[in-house]
Amino acid sequence: MSDLFAEHHAVARLRAERLARCTKPFAARGSRAERCPRCRVIAGYCLCAWRPRVETRAGMCLLMYDLEAVKPSNTGWLIADVVRDTSAFCWSRTEQDPNLLALLADPAWQPYVVFPGEYAAPERVVSEVRVEAGRRPLFILLDATWPEARKMFRKSPYLNHLPVLSMSPERLSRYRLRRSKRDEHLCTSEVAALCLELAGEPRAARALDAYLDVFVQHYLSAKRRLPLDLEDETHQRLREFL
Ligand SMILES: [Zn+2]
């Protein structure tokens, strides 16, 4: 492993493991450009100085579809940067990672599968987070494209006994409005920010959203080789969390 800082968090570890299992080198688009080993953004657009530092009590458990951890556009990475207790597992239909099962059974955590309620049996669906005394919420996020996530949800029997946390349409539209988001789809880090909000951690939620916005800007500017304005509104919003 030549990436010096590659194992600093769960998604970075998963990425390194997944790359090691590749029979041929994974070629991300634009991969000839050199990337920062820590934040995996193209050198010159590095995000490392912009990682927010916030306290978090909730935990995140990312179930990542095959190459998700390796994609430069993956936003699960950002969650692991912000939420200290983030774990990440590569999803498999046939094999169950014993560490994942142990995490789900750990009484310190109160797990929720985060997924649209219309896909689950109604008795499993909840829209609020109510954590029992002495436990911390653990949000299980399916980090994948939408068709992949639906498949993961259907074919993970070890999740079937857990409540399904579904975002209410009002909450979703309020969130979209606040973020001036036009498209329907939320990325994984936006879903995680909503979970933090529901868990009563609005400051961490805002930090994650502000970090995502800076990431998107760095990522797109790198792709188009555009200069960055580190004093613009997007960066300003993140500064309070640095
Ligand atoms: Zn970096």
Side-chain angles (χ1 to χ4, degrees), residues 164-212:
V164 174
L165 177 63
S166 178
M167 303 297 166
S168 69
E170 303 81 64
R171 187 170 286 277
L172 284 173
S173 64
R174 233 180 309 147
Y175 182 79
R176 285 204 187 89
L177 210 63
R178 194 172 69 229
R179 311 243 316 128
S180 335
K181 246 188 106 82
R182 257 156 285 156
D183 72 291
E184 274 298 286
H185 180 77
L186 298 188
C187 70
T188 309
S189 89
E190 290 174 314
V191 176
L194 271 167
C195 291
L196 289 168
E197 238 177 62
L198 278 168
E201 303 195 60
R203 183 177 151 80
R206 275 188 293 123
L208 184 55
D209 279 337
Y211 189 42
L212 169 69

Side-chain angles (χ1 to χ4, degrees), residues 120-195:
E123 60 272 21
R124 285 179 72 194
V125 180
V126 298
S127 58
E128 301 292 332
V129 174
R130 289 187 221 286
V131 185
E132 293 158 29
R135 302 180 80 189
R136 295 160 63 192
L138 178 70
F139 298 106
I140 302 162
L141 304 175
L142 309 183
D143 196 8
T145 64
W146 176 235
E148 290 162 355
R150 265 189 325 212
K151 178 168 125 189
M152 292 162 80
F153 184 75
R154 275 200 321 271
K155 300 189 174 183
S156 308
Y158 47 91
L159 300 179
N160 286 350
H161 65 293
L162 299 173
V164 174
L165 177 63
S166 178
M167 303 297 166
S168 69
E170 303 81 64
R171 187 170 286 277
L172 284 173
S173 64
R174 233 180 309 147
Y175 182 79
R176 285 204 187 89
L177 210 63
R178 194 172 69 229
R179 311 243 316 128
S180 335
K181 246 188 106 82
R182 257 156 285 156
D183 72 291
E184 274 298 286
H185 180 77
L186 298 188
C187 70
T188 309
S189 89
E190 290 174 314
V191 176
L194 271 167
C195 291

Side-chain angles (χ1 to χ4, degrees), residues 16-127:
E17 281 167 25
R18 189 62 191 82
L19 284 173
R21 276 193 286 128
C22 281
T23 44
K24 53 185 174 196
F26 175 77
R29 265 173 293 173
S31 64
R32 268 168 306 168
E34 195 170 331
R35 291 175 183 279
C36 167
R38 200 194 172 285
C39 69
R40 88 242 130 106
V41 179
I42 290 173
Y45 296 86
C46 170
L47 203 66
C48 290
W50 295 93
R51 189 161 64 94
R53 279 156 219 280
V54 285
E55 286 297 315
T56 47
R57 186 172 151 74
M60 298 285 167
C61 172
L62 299 172
L63 293 188
M64 305 181 93
Y65 196 82
D66 195 29
L67 284 167
E68 198 56 49
V70 175
K71 292 181 190 164
S73 59
N74 172 266
T75 64
W77 186 286
L78 307 177
I79 301 169
D81 267 349
V82 173
V83 177
R84 192 191 50 218
D85 288 315
T86 297
S87 43
F89 301 92
C90 197
W91 182 79
S92 158
R93 195 180 55 78
T94 49
E95 281 166 54
Q96 297 172 5
D97 188 322
N99 293 323
L100 170 62
L101 300 183
L103 177 67
L104 298 181
D106 183 341
W109 293 108
Q110 192 173 320
Y112 290 92
V113 185
V114 184
F115 209 71
E118 59 261 41
Y119 295 91
E123 60 272 21
R124 285 179 72 194
V125 180
V126 298
S127 58

